[in-house]
Amino acid sequence: MKEILERVKEQLEQSFDEPRSTSLDGAIHELERLKASARDKRQMIEDVIRAVTHARNARMELAEVGDESATNAFAEAYRALDQAIESYSGVDNDPV
C-alpha cells in the first residue's frame, strides 16, 4: 500500500511540474482501488482521494495563471499523501 501512495505522490509532483501534460486520473483510480482494501485506514484514503481530486481540478488553473489557490490544492494533496505514507511506515512516534 505504501508503494502505491509513493507512486501517486510522484505522479502528483510530476503533474505540478508539468500541469498541461500530466493527468492525475490514473492516480485517483489507483487510490480508489487502494481504498477497497484499506480497512481501518479507509477514511484516510478517502481524504487523500479528495485532496488529489482537488489538485487534479486545479491543474489547468495552475498551468494558465499559476494561481495561489491552485498551488495550495497541490500542497494539500502532497501533505495528505505524506501523512498516509507515514501511517504505513510502521514508525511508532508515541512518547513512552
Side-chain angles (χ1 to χ4, degrees), residues 5-20:
L5 292 168
E6 289 171 341
R7 187 169 48 247
V8 168
K9 184 177 171 185
E10 289 172 10
Q11 292 172 3
L12 180 73
E13 291 169 348
Q14 185 177 6
S15 183
F16 182 78
D17 291 338
E18 303 170 24
R20 291 188 191 276

Side-chain angles (χ1 to χ4, degrees), residues 20-59:
R20 291 188 191 276
S21 63
T22 307
S23 172
L24 291 171
D25 293 337
I28 292 169
H29 184 67
E30 281 190 88
L31 290 169
E32 289 288 350
R33 286 195 315 257
L34 179 64
K35 181 177 80 168
S37 60
R39 296 185 195 154
D40 61 329
K41 297 185 184 211
R42 186 177 177 93
Q43 182 61 50
M44 178 187 61
I45 299 301
E46 286 178 7
D47 293 342
V48 171
I49 291 169
R50 189 174 309 108
V52 173
T53 300
H54 287 287
R56 180 197 64 194
N57 295 341
R59 195 171 52 88

Side-chain angles (χ1 to χ4, degrees), residues 3 6-7 13 23 25 34 36 38 52-53 58 60 63 65 70 72 74 76 79 88 92 96:
E3 295 80 22
E6 289 171 341
R7 187 169 48 247
E13 291 169 348
S23 172
D25 293 337
L34 179 64
V52 173
T53 300
M60 295 316 293
V65 284
N72 289 341
F74 275 85
E76 182 64 32
R79 281 191 298 273
Y88 283 104
D92 184 7
V96 178

